[in-house]
Amino acid sequence: MGNGVREGPVEFQRDVEPITARIPAEDNQEKKKVLNSLMSGALAGAVAKTAVAPLDRTKIMFQVSSKRFSAKEAYRLIYHTYLNEGFWSLWRGNSATMVRVIPYAAIQFCAHEEYKQILGNYYGFQGKALTPFPRFIAGSLAGTTAAMVTYPLDMVRARMAVTPKEMYSSIVHVFIRISREEGLKTLYRGFTPTILGVIPYAGLSFFTYETLKKVHAEHSGKAQPSPPERLLFGACAGLIGQSASYPLDVVRRRMQTAGVLGHTYSSILLTMQDIVREEGLVRGLYKGLSMNWVKGPIAVGISFTTFDLTQILLRKLQHGPGLD
């Protein structure tokens, strides 16, 4: 009997040891994957937004004013800003953009990878490309998740972009003044049109990019597209995504900056009505879209390409140069 008691635990421990040894390894792999996605997404967002910051600031300034947009007027605004405030003023508000876009892009890209995996498991596509509808849903959920977490930073960035530098000395100062003078609720003004705009924007952007990569792989026989091809696919994704959601982007900017520009916008529909009544449908709700057709594809193309290439680099560093 004594021998039986001693032998039981030995056999039990031998049986479970391989299982317990595998669990930490799987956990570590999952943690590395999430960390890689966060790092790659953060870098992608920072590089892309910095590259187009002067165009982005100019677009916002037209969106929040009743001034008619044209390429000539945009160039004139950029030139006068450079003459009057200096070269680096073209990047005014970019520090706030970085504070927002680094966590936003990190969360969005990481969430997209996780949603793809969850939807792949749910629909039975483990290890395979998702079908069109789940592909769109994964992108929309990723964008919504990131927007919900980082929205107040987007509000601050918009305020800094359209106000003189004397008004707000820093990002913290914007938060303090808005909270004190307009109330904490102001930090979420324009939140609803943001979420409504993010759903088609992020959904179509990720959907288009992933679809073009899939079609490329099927027709070229290559597992991975080249960096120039990635840039092209990302540019197409940005063009489609931003064009679909642009009117809500204009509404969002008007609501965000209403407090400093002397307007009062209480709802999405009323804001749209005011814009259409004062400036017209196309000239109002699509103001600056032609600039977005330049800025958007560049930014999204750089963003997707940077994310993919950083992911590949990090995997190779962790697993060795033999990984494709």
Side-chain angles (χ1 to χ4, degrees):
M1 181 191 258
N3 289 339
V5 172
R6 280 194 302 272
E7 287 171 9
V10 174
E11 289 301 319
F12 174 76
Q13 205 159 6
R14 197 184 312 158
D15 287 343
V16 298
E17 192 173 0
I19 299 171
T20 55
R22 279 199 303 268
I23 292 171
E26 290 174 1
D27 285 347
N28 286 337
Q29 280 299 109
E30 186 61 30
K31 286 177 183 176
K32 281 182 182 178
K33 182 184 167 189
V34 171
L35 186 60
N36 285 355
S37 295
L38 287 170
M39 291 172 60
S40 302
L43 181 63
V47 172
K49 277 296 184 182
T50 300
V52 298
L55 294 175
D56 211 20
R57 183 182 183 224
T58 303
K59 182 201 73 172
I60 292 173
M61 293 176 78
F62 274 101
Q63 283 182 327
V64 302
S65 74
S66 57
K67 193 174 182 180
R68 184 176 174 182
F69 175 85
S70 68
K72 184 178 178 181
E73 288 298 321
Y75 170 76
R76 186 176 295 169
L77 178 58
I78 292 172
Y79 184 65
H80 281 294
T81 303
Y82 163 70
L83 286 180
N84 297 330
E85 301 178 41
F87 177 73
W88 294 113
S89 67
L90 296 173
W91 275 265
R92 173 161 170 75
N94 196 51
S95 57
T97 300
M98 289 299 102
V99 171
R100 169 193 168 264
V101 85
I102 288 174
Y104 180 92
I107 293 167
Q108 180 176 239
F109 278 106
C110 182
H112 183 246
E113 294 298 306
E114 294 302 308
Y115 286 131
K116 279 200 303 183
Q117 185 174 322
I118 292 168
L119 290 168
N121 292 337
Y122 180 79
Y123 286 102
F125 300 135
Q126 294 97 327
K128 299 177 184 176
L130 294 174
T131 52
F133 182 68
R135 207 177 300 153
F136 175 82
I137 293 298
S140 295
L141 288 172
T144 303
T145 301
M148 289 175 68
V149 174
T150 62
Y151 185 78
L153 295 169
D154 186 48
M155 171 71 164
V156 168
R157 174 250 186 161
R159 284 293 181 94
M160 290 190 75
V162 301
T163 54
K165 57 186 177 182
E166 295 80 17
M167 188 166 183
Y168 298 118
S169 60
S170 66
I171 297 167
V172 175
H173 187 211
V174 183
F175 274 109
I176 293 172
R177 280 197 63 173
I178 289 176
S179 302
R180 188 178 297 160
E181 297 172 11
E182 302 174 55
L184 285 172
K185 284 177 65 176
T186 304
L187 291 172
Y188 281 88
R189 183 180 291 158
F191 179 72
T192 303
T194 297
I195 295 300
L196 292 176
V198 156
I199 291 170
Y201 169 66
L204 287 170
S205 295
F206 279 105
F207 169 82
T208 303
Y209 185 68
E210 295 285 323
T211 300
L212 289 173
K213 285 204 301 182
K214 183 175 180 289
V215 170
H216 173 271
E218 290 171 352
H219 286 79
S220 69
K222 294 190 293 184
Q224 296 290 344
S226 65
E229 288 169 335
R230 291 180 194 274
L231 282 169
L232 179 61
F233 298 162
C236 292
L239 190 65
I240 292 170
Q242 293 194 345
S243 296
S245 61
Y246 195 79
L248 286 164
D249 189 42
V250 174
V251 170
R252 168 175 65 121
R253 293 301 182 202
R254 291 293 179 96
M255 294 180 77
Q256 285 177 337
T257 58
V260 292
L261 297 178
H263 297 289
T264 303
Y265 298 121
S266 56
S267 71
I268 297 171
L269 286 177
L270 288 176
T271 305
M272 280 189 168
Q273 286 175 5
D274 286 347
I275 293 170
V276 172
R277 185 175 62 252
E278 294 173 12
E279 303 165 51
L281 178 65
V282 175
R283 289 179 182 173
L285 292 179
Y286 289 90
K287 181 186 291 183
L289 179 60
S290 57
M291 178 174 285
N292 241 39
W293 285 342
V294 176
K295 177 192 77 72
I298 293 172
V300 178
I302 291 172
S303 181
F304 278 126
T305 303
T306 303
F307 176 79
D308 278 356
L309 296 181
T310 307
Q311 282 276 80
I312 292 168
L313 176 62
L314 289 173
R315 286 196 211 107
K316 284 184 176 179
L317 290 173
Q318 290 170 359
H319 299 283
L323 183 71
D324 189 355

